[in-house]
Amino acid sequence: MVTRTDFIHALENDIKPAFGTSAEALEHLLFRGIINWGKPVAEILADGKLHIQEARAAEGSGLVSILLEGPPNSGKTALAAQIAKTSDFPFVKVCTPEDMVGFTESAKCLSIRKIFDDAYRSQLSCIVVDNIERLLDYGPIGPRYSNLTLQALLVLLKKLPPRGRKLLILCTTSRRQVLEDMELITAFSTVLHVPNLSTSDHLLSVLEEVDLFTKEEMSSLYSKLYGKRVFIGIKKLLGLLDMTRQVEPNYRVIKFLSKLEEEGGLE
Ligand code: ATP
Ligand code: MG
């Protein structure tokens, strides 16, 4: 016989949302981890911690909204996920445009609305809205966007959770200017800039972490890269390193450096 206790047990332990639990969603975004390649990373994570405390604070408004903006591939999504994970808030929901492919404007608004409604019901909630310009159907040709979704987001970003409840919102974009034009920037309580790697020290810190080059190769890389100007996003760089891993060991350094130059990552 199925008792009420069984039912409650099932609710708590067996029933998972269709797209996996929120913890899984975060882990999926974080599966490559966060490499602390320099001061910008440390600063963003430290600021993140401060804002988590601010969101938790009993005397606060209960609402903190952070925009992580930076060039494509700079690591915005992973950093947002890392801050969400650090918050340790029990309700975490990731809202990505990928989950809403083919939705009509109104279906999109409803589903965003539902995420926020669910969050308001929990004591401590964190919502990650990834790639906000894509969620708004922004297209550079035209340019066009969904005004309905924009209006919904403008309202939801400013709406205080019910008394005593706390909500931390983390959004990402690689189109800061577009959000400024839409007057969406001012809806955020904080904007954090996520930069590309810009010095050889940044680059070498990543190379030290990835366990790909031998000691000898590393010292050759040190002398070849020393003082060079670098400009590459962490995601792009990790992709180049994945490719380099497939190259015959003797040619790895040469191949890596030539690919880096090709990609415009090295001056
Ligand atoms: P896009 O512009 O396509 O949205 P993005 O800026 O959101 O890209 P991510 O999707 O976050 O970039 O990719 C960053 C990748 O680099 C992730 O796989 C992440 O695990 C890894 N990573 C390693 N170190 C860092 C770091 N310090 N900051 C951010 N991501 C890092
Ligand atoms: Mg992203």
Side-chain angles (χ1 to χ4, degrees), residues 76-77 130-131 172 235:
K76 305 168 299 292
T77 304
D130 199 18
N131 244 320
T172 76
K235 186 161 129 191

Short mmCIF file of all heavy atoms in Angstrom, two decimals, residues 76-77 130-131 172 235, ligand 2:
data_model
loop_
_atom_site.label_atom_id
_atom_site.label_comp_id
_atom_site.label_asym_id
_atom_site.label_seq_id
_atom_site.Cartn_x
_atom_site.Cartn_y
_atom_site.Cartn_z
N LYS A 76 31.70 34.37 -18.96
CA LYS A 76 30.60 34.97 -18.20
C LYS A 76 29.66 33.94 -17.58
O LYS A 76 29.33 34.03 -16.40
CB LYS A 76 29.79 35.91 -19.13
CG LYS A 76 30.63 36.96 -19.80
CD LYS A 76 29.88 37.67 -20.91
CE LYS A 76 29.43 36.77 -22.04
NZ LYS A 76 30.51 36.21 -22.86
N THR A 77 29.27 32.97 -18.41
CA THR A 77 28.30 31.98 -17.93
C THR A 77 28.88 31.16 -16.78
O THR A 77 28.22 30.94 -15.76
CB THR A 77 27.89 31.06 -19.09
OG1 THR A 77 27.37 31.87 -20.15
CG2 THR A 77 26.83 30.06 -18.65
N ASP A 130 20.88 33.45 -18.50
CA ASP A 130 22.07 33.43 -19.34
C ASP A 130 21.77 34.09 -20.68
O ASP A 130 20.69 33.92 -21.23
CB ASP A 130 22.50 31.97 -19.54
CG ASP A 130 23.94 31.86 -20.01
OD1 ASP A 130 24.70 32.84 -19.85
OD2 ASP A 130 24.31 30.80 -20.52
N ASN A 131 22.76 34.84 -21.17
CA ASN A 131 22.64 35.37 -22.54
C ASN A 131 21.39 36.19 -22.74
O ASN A 131 20.59 35.93 -23.65
CB ASN A 131 22.57 34.17 -23.48
CG ASN A 131 23.75 34.15 -24.40
OD1 ASN A 131 24.18 35.20 -24.88
ND2 ASN A 131 24.28 32.98 -24.64
N THR A 172 23.84 37.28 -17.74
CA THR A 172 25.05 37.45 -18.54
C THR A 172 24.70 38.05 -19.89
O THR A 172 23.61 37.84 -20.41
CB THR A 172 25.78 36.12 -18.81
OG1 THR A 172 25.07 35.38 -19.81
CG2 THR A 172 25.91 35.28 -17.55
N LYS A 235 37.29 30.72 -22.78
CA LYS A 235 36.62 29.61 -23.46
C LYS A 235 37.33 29.27 -24.78
O LYS A 235 37.55 28.10 -25.08
CB LYS A 235 35.15 29.98 -23.72
CG LYS A 235 34.31 28.87 -24.30
CD LYS A 235 32.84 29.17 -24.09
CE LYS A 235 32.04 29.07 -25.35
NZ LYS A 235 30.68 29.63 -25.16
MG MG B 2 27.74 32.33 -21.99
#
